[in-house]
Amino acid sequence: MKKKVNFFSRCLVLMLVFAPFIQVFAQKTVVSGKITDAGSGDPIPFANVMFKGTDIGTTTSFEGQYTIETSKRVDSLVVSYIGYITKTKAVSNTVQKLDFQLEENVVNLQEVVFVAGENPAYEIMRNVIRNKDKNDKRSLDAYEYETYSKTEVDVDNITDKFKKRKIMQKIISVMDSVERMAGEDGQPILPIFISESLSKTYYRNNPKLKYENILKTKITGVGIEDGTLVSQFIGSSFQEYNFYQNWLNIVSKEFVSPMADGWRLYYDYDLTDSAYVDSDFCYRLDFFPKSEQDLAFKGTMWITKKDYALKQMDATVTQTANLNYIEKIKIQQELAPTKAGPWIPVKNRVLLDIGEVTENMAGVLAKFYTSNRNIMVDDPKDQTFYAQPIKIEEDFNINNGNDFWNEHRHEPLSSTELNVYKMIDTLKSIPVVKTYTEILKVAINGYKKVGKLDIGPYLNLYANNTVEGHRFQLGFRTNIDFSDKWVLGGRLAYGTEDEQFKYQAFVENIIDRRKWTTIRAEYTKDIDQVGLAAEDLMGNYIFLAATKFGKLIRPYRYEQAKLSAQRELFKGFTPKLVFNYKTFNPLYNFAYYTQPGPDAPLATAFKTSEAIVEARYAKDEVFVQDDNNRISLGTLKWPIFTMRYTRGLKGVLGSDFNYNKLGLNVFNDLKMGFFGTSTISITGEHVFESLPYPLLKAHVGNESIFYTNAAFNLMNYSEFVSDTYVSLNYNHYFQGFILNRVPLMRKLKWRLLATANVIYGQLSDKNLALIPPNTITGEEMPPIHSFQKNKPYVEVGYGVENIFKIIRVDFLHRLNYLDNPDVSNFGVKISFQFIL
């Protein structure tokens, strides 16, 4: 018995000694998982994760991942983040995986209240501004890195009503798998596009030049082909945002950065935390726009204590901002220092949430992710290296299978993203989806692709006017499937009233894509109008098509042969050479004296041969290549200069005149922050010799009810003609700068605008002398007006855009030349536009 007592005593002593260790081992709790947005499925970085009732917590990584552990007995885990509803889940005291999907908290911005004394966030912000130049990557002499980009586009907000639509009935089986993909708390989404790209990005500071070389792309989408245009837009150049800039351009709008020089004018700040983020001790600043309707952000940024550099950023623009269709824009960023000091973003995530246009439609989510690595600094290349801002390797879509991407992705695809590829392939095979996407592509491009041909443009299929009666037209052009060097095209039209065929044929050779060198030859036989010529209205296709309807003003038949060549000699500078032969055969009462004086013989038709030299300079213009086309995305800052000299060659191919013309245009897009944006175009031209007025400048008028920037909107068609003129076209878009301050207007999201069109011109006495009086030809001739000396033509306007999101109304005032026949000093014109 004594031995038994001793045995149990020893066991008891051992249990007492090891009890703390046994307890620790038994109650060790380790929880890991991922925090995502319930609406988009995107990770939520920097979210707070804590065991309930303890001070044990952590934050999620940029990928939304977390791991947290404790030796204490706990029963639940709490996840919270600014802008989201806090969520709690039960935990077991063991090792487990626990994912959270947080729903957005749609509430008004909080009001920040401070007690007496200065807001402690202000001193941090002042230091951030003082150190901007030191920390901004643009202060580096040069930098380069490898970029991996990933883009996904999904249909979201899929309601039961939307599911009942005919097209959706065809894809219900796909929808079932989509709902399973969304997660236990997530909203169902329907992926329609996913892409990946690998590129090298290069930047040089002096002069400021940038170049992206896209090495490989992989694109899968409904109605999307793996073409050069899409491949350029999925590169890193269009997903780069630098918060050290005062203003960030997003979806063509200017948003003020929370790190702007004038930060106190736009934002309130709150210092909410300080902690180590990786190895950097950081301050957490929450920021809120002073006005909910302004194009500004709310969110959180982590600022390092040592350098006052931006370590992490989470910035969101909500649907309270004055934007159309867009419910949310979210930008998340993680930065790392370079060996030279300035910080470079190493991970970026952008979310664009586009709401339903109507109640019967779903919304769209666009998600962009970029990762940068292998960063090198201060090794600038020669300036010629940056000549082409975006270049795609010729084999960009060859040998880009799973083996390549598994090796070169900066991080593996998630299981959801792998399923996206499979789901899109399934959608593309559904016949009704194919039909709808083809209709949409025709509506956007104006052409229907049929093998190696594009048929169209459909905007010009039909017209009806006083000369041709019913006009029917059909055209084509070859696409890149035919050749990436040669483009052939043409069109054929027929009028039922004049019983005449009209046609055009052209051939173009793309000699060099890098320096964009082309040669083009074309021949045209058609009808046009003085002052409304197609060459003068290029880019205004809807207005040009509208001028083919109704009564034609000063119509004429012409035949034209044109040969042109152009080459970008260096970045931004493109000269162009043109030879142009054209005949003029009027279809209205027209004549001109062949020499000044009433006794000179009259003529009605003429021929011209011209040699034209044009030079265009746009310092920081960005282009993308759409198969065999080159598309300008405008300039970032500098104006565009275009100069043209024309020499008329008498005797060449029967030309009737020698003459010289010199013209200049300056165009600039001015971004003014919260004050809005302006566009300004100044044009001047001088004709040195005496010519019939159709060869001078017949200024574009507009007698329709529709507004257009291509015309003087209260001027009649061809009302004025000049041989020397200077014109100004100015448009200012206030965005929400003024009407955001009016409660009702703020709710409607209407926006003010202002316009001014001014022209100062003259028609010399020698040119006036070539115009015969009405009595000579025996029938009334349309009057030609000239501007009076020192009296410019002026029309000004104001208006409201964004009515029902698509309607613009302009109220216009003509200030002078009111004695001219059939003119008005006031007009109201409308137009339709899809703007954000």
Side-chain angles (χ1 to χ4, degrees):
M1 179 66 69
K2 186 174 182 181
K3 289 182 179 180
K4 290 184 178 181
V5 172
N6 290 338
F7 173 76
F8 285 115
S9 298
R10 290 173 181 176
C11 290
L12 180 60
V13 170
L14 289 172
M15 291 177 62
L16 292 174
V17 171
F18 289 102
F21 301 99
I22 296 172
Q23 182 181 23
V24 169
F25 180 78
Q27 295 183 350
K28 186 75 169 183
T29 302
V30 181
V31 186
S32 62
K34 188 173 185 179
I35 315 300
T36 57
D37 184 301
S40 67
D42 273 355
I44 300 178
F46 330 133
N48 301 310
V49 183
M50 294 192 70
F51 285 118
K52 187 175 181 180
T54 73
D55 58 356
I56 301 170
T58 187
T59 58
T60 55
S61 67
F62 193 81
E63 287 73 31
Q65 303 282 356
Y66 75 93
T67 299
I68 186 172
E69 61 181 62
T70 181
S71 301
K72 298 180 180 180
R73 177 170 292 276
V74 291
D75 59 10
S76 55
L77 194 65
V78 181
V79 176
S80 63
Y81 190 60
I82 183 172
Y84 289 89
I85 299 174
T86 299
K87 196 164 190 177
T88 303
K89 284 189 177 184
V91 299
S92 59
N93 287 275
T94 182
V95 178
Q96 68 178 117
K97 187 176 185 297
L98 203 58
D99 294 334
F100 287 78
Q101 290 180 304
L102 301 186
E103 295 182 356
E104 188 177 2
N105 188 11
V106 185
V107 296
N108 291 330
L109 298 178
Q110 72 181 63
E111 182 179 353
V112 182
V113 180
F114 302 108
V115 296
E118 185 184 52
N119 180 350
Y122 286 1
E123 180 59 27
I124 297 174
M125 284 303 304
R126 281 192 288 267
N127 282 308
V128 169
I129 303 304
R130 292 189 192 106
N131 288 275
K132 277 177 70 172
D133 291 340
K134 182 179 71 174
N135 294 319
D136 188 351
K137 66 178 181 178
R138 293 175 299 171
S139 64
L140 292 166
D141 290 337
Y143 62 78
E144 60 187 79
Y145 45 71
E146 178 187 277
T147 300
Y148 167 75
S149 301
K150 181 170 55 183
T151 302
E152 182 181 337
V153 179
D154 308 312
V155 176
D156 74 336
N157 294 334
I158 303 173
T159 63
D160 292 336
K161 186 176 182 180
F162 183 73
K163 291 181 184 179
K164 294 178 181 178
R165 300 187 65 178
K166 183 179 294 186
I167 184 174
M168 292 302 297
Q169 293 297 314
K170 304 291 185 179
I171 56 176
I172 287 298
S173 59
V174 178
M175 286 296 302
D176 292 340
S177 61
V178 173
E179 295 193 33
R180 289 194 295 272
M181 280 178 53
E184 59 175 305
D185 302 314
Q187 300 298 320
I189 58 174
L190 179 66
I192 57 175
F193 176 87
I194 189 169
S195 70
E196 299 175 84
S197 73
L198 189 71
S199 60
K200 286 279 291 183
T201 300
Y202 304 85
Y203 170 85
R204 174 179 173 142
N205 187 21
N206 189 19
K208 295 186 183 300
L209 299 169
K210 189 176 180 182
Y211 165 54
E212 181 182 9
N213 183 19
I214 299 176
L215 306 174
K216 293 290 182 183
T217 66
K218 181 180 181 181
I219 298 174
T220 300
V222 178
I224 302 294
E225 299 174 2
D226 195 358
T228 56
L229 180 64
V230 176
S231 296
Q232 291 165 90
F233 279 108
I234 66 174
S236 64
S237 293
F238 297 99
Q239 281 86 50
E240 181 179 3
Y241 301 101
N242 186 353
F243 284 93
Y244 283 104
Q245 297 176 184
N246 290 332
W247 298 89
L248 282 74
N249 187 280
I250 310 173
V251 292
S252 75
K253 300 289 185 181
E254 293 287 302
F255 293 79
V256 62
S257 169
M259 298 169 60
D261 293 338
W263 50 278
R264 288 192 67 172
L265 296 175
Y266 311 114
Y267 287 97
D268 289 320
Y269 299 82
D270 191 8
L271 175 61
T272 57
D273 197 4
S274 60
Y276 276 97
V277 179
D278 298 330
S279 59
D280 298 294
F281 188 80
C282 298
Y283 302 108
R284 170 179 165 168
L285 298 183
D286 293 345
F287 50 88
F288 315 89
K290 290 182 179 290
S291 173
E292 294 182 0
Q293 284 71 39
D294 288 340
L295 299 185
F297 302 93
K298 72 171 183 178
T300 298
M301 56 183 170
W302 291 85
I303 304 296
T304 63
K305 180 180 180 181
K306 179 181 178 182
D307 300 314
Y308 291 96
L310 177 64
K311 174 71 175 180
Q312 292 179 340
M313 172 67 75
D314 189 348
T316 301
V317 179
T318 64
Q319 59 185 353
T320 58
N322 196 328
L323 291 170
N324 284 336
Y325 314 115
I326 295 179
E327 294 187 351
K328 181 169 66 173
I329 301 171
K330 178 182 279 289
I331 302 175
Q332 298 165 328
Q333 199 170 85
E334 182 178 304
L335 298 91
T338 63
K339 63 180 183 180
W343 292 60
I344 283 182
V346 291
K347 294 179 181 179
N348 298 270
R349 187 179 293 110
V350 180
L351 169 72
L352 187 64
D353 187 354
I354 303 172
E356 307 93 312
V357 178
T358 68
E359 293 182 357
N360 295 325
M361 298 180 67
V364 174
L365 280 177
K367 300 184 283 186
F368 310 92
Y369 172 82
T370 61
S371 172
N372 302 322
R373 69 183 185 187
N374 300 331
I375 299 170
M376 297 178 61
V377 299
D378 294 339
D379 181 23
K381 314 294 184 189
D382 187 81
Q383 292 188 34
T384 57
F385 179 80
Y386 307 87
Q388 187 175 351
I390 303 175
K391 177 189 174 184
I392 303 179
E393 291 296 322
E394 292 185 0
D395 62 346
F396 73 98
N397 59 355
I398 300 174
N399 297 325
N400 60 348
N402 292 333
D403 291 341
F404 173 85
W405 290 107
N406 290 338
E407 180 182 351
H408 290 89
R409 285 188 188 106
H410 290 192
E411 62 182 58
L413 294 180
S414 66
S415 59
T416 299
E417 289 167 335
L418 291 172
N419 286 332
V420 165
Y421 275 107
K422 299 177 182 178
M423 191 168 301
I424 292 175
D425 288 337
T426 303
L427 282 174
K428 289 163 62 176
S429 65
I430 300 175
V432 69
V433 174
K434 289 182 178 180
T435 301
Y436 272 77
T437 53
E438 285 299 318
I439 293 173
L440 184 60
K441 283 194 289 186
V442 169
I444 294 174
N445 300 325
Y447 286 83
K448 162 68 175 174
K449 184 177 181 180
V450 182
K452 297 179 180 181
L453 298 180
D454 295 337
I455 307 300
Y458 288 93
L459 193 62
N460 301 111
L461 280 178
Y462 173 78
N464 184 283
N465 56 66
T466 53
V467 175
E468 298 173 285
H470 300 285
R471 175 187 170 111
F472 301 94
Q473 177 179 299
L474 190 62
F476 79 95
R477 66 188 182 194
T478 60
N479 54 48
I480 200 168
D481 292 339
F482 172 80
S483 172
D484 62 353
K485 295 289 186 182
W486 293 92
V487 182
L488 311 177
R491 56 181 169 85
L492 180 67
Y494 181 77
T496 59
E497 184 72 24
D498 64 353
E499 299 181 339
Q500 293 280 324
F501 282 100
K502 298 91 181 175
Y503 53 83
Q504 181 193 50
F506 72 87
V507 56
E508 183 173 344
N509 180 223
I510 304 173
I511 300 173
D512 184 353
R513 288 177 175 269
R514 185 171 181 269
K515 289 289 188 179
W516 199 251
T517 306
T518 64
I519 295 179
R520 178 184 174 100
E522 60 185 273
Y523 188 87
T524 307
K525 180 181 179 181
D526 211 332
I527 287 178
D528 227 326
Q529 302 171 76
V530 176
L532 292 172
E535 289 183 332
D536 295 332
L537 297 174
M538 291 299 294
N540 298 276
Y541 301 110
I542 296 178
F543 181 66
L544 178 60
T547 63
K548 300 295 184 183
F549 285 82
K551 182 181 179 181
L552 299 189
I553 308 299
R554 295 186 174 92
Y556 63 92
R557 297 189 190 278
Y558 71 93
E559 294 185 44
Q560 182 179 33
K562 191 173 183 180
L563 179 65
S564 60
Q566 67 174 21
R567 178 177 175 84
E568 186 178 38
L569 291 183
F570 57 86
K571 182 174 172 56
F573 180 69
T574 304
K576 184 177 183 180
L577 301 176
V578 181
F579 176 78
N580 186 37
Y581 168 80
K582 190 173 183 179
T583 64
F584 180 92
N585 294 287
L587 297 175
Y588 68 103
N589 186 25
F590 166 78
Y592 67 96
Y593 290 119
T594 56
Q595 297 176 359
D599 297 327
L602 288 172
T604 57
F606 56 78
K607 301 176 182 178
T608 60
S609 292
E610 299 175 328
I612 302 170
V613 179
E614 181 179 288
R616 186 176 186 274
Y617 181 64
K619 182 176 180 180
D620 57 357
E621 188 171 20
V622 177
F623 288 95
V624 293
Q625 292 183 15
D626 181 12
D627 292 338
N628 289 330
N629 297 312
R630 194 186 196 205
I631 302 173
S632 172
L633 301 182
T635 58
L636 302 176
K637 179 180 179 181
W638 298 96
I640 300 173
F641 299 89
T642 305
M643 179 176 287
R644 171 181 283 202
Y645 169 71
T646 304
R647 171 65 180 173
L649 305 171
K650 185 176 182 179
V652 177
L653 300 178
S655 174
D656 294 305
F657 307 104
N658 273 321
Y659 53 88
N660 297 273
K661 296 181 181 181
L662 185 62
L664 175 67
N665 173 262
V666 181
F667 176 85
N668 200 11
D669 192 353
L670 304 173
K671 298 176 175 62
M672 302 181 180
F674 277 156
F675 296 101
T677 60
S678 292
T679 61
I680 181 170
S681 179
I682 301 174
T683 304
E685 186 178 34
H686 177 64
V687 182
F688 291 84
E689 285 77 24
S690 299
L691 294 171
Y693 73 81
L695 291 176
L696 305 177
K697 180 60 179 180
H699 301 287
V700 180
N702 181 11
E703 297 181 30
S704 74
I705 65 170
F706 300 104
Y707 180 88
T708 175
N709 284 331
F712 293 87
N713 285 279
L714 288 183
M715 186 185 289
N716 290 338
Y717 293 134
S718 304
E719 182 181 348
F720 291 98
V721 173
S722 300
D723 52 41
T724 302
Y725 74 93
V726 176
S727 66
L728 167 70
N729 175 264
Y730 182 79
N731 298 270
H732 185 77
Y733 306 91
F734 288 96
Q735 308 293 351
F737 174 64
I738 296 177
L739 295 187
N740 274 354
R741 276 67 186 170
V742 181
L744 177 60
M745 297 295 101
R746 182 167 62 235
K747 184 176 181 180
L748 294 173
K749 294 187 177 182
W750 289 7
R751 305 166 189 167
L752 284 180
L753 55 90
T755 63
N757 281 319
V758 181
I759 184 166
Y760 181 87
Q762 67 177 27
L763 188 62
S764 68
D765 292 338
K766 289 183 178 181
N767 280 316
L768 281 170
L770 297 182
I771 303 174
N774 293 347
T775 56
I776 288 183
T777 58
E779 59 179 301
E780 185 175 354
M781 299 177 67
I784 295 298
H785 298 280
S786 61
F787 298 106
Q788 300 174 23
K789 188 175 182 180
N790 298 324
K791 185 180 180 182
Y793 171 92
V794 181
E795 64 181 33
V796 296
Y798 47 88
V800 178
E801 61 179 351
N802 211 37
I803 301 172
F804 302 118
K805 297 184 179 181
I806 61 171
I807 298 175
R808 166 176 168 170
V809 178
D810 284 82
F811 304 91
L812 302 161
H813 298 267
R814 175 168 168 163
L815 303 186
N816 49 11
Y817 295 97
L818 301 178
D819 295 333
N820 288 358
D822 302 321
V823 301
S824 174
N825 65 344
F826 177 75
V828 180
K829 294 183 182 288
I830 65 171
S831 55
F832 302 91
Q833 54 189 10
F834 290 93
I835 55 177
L836 296 175

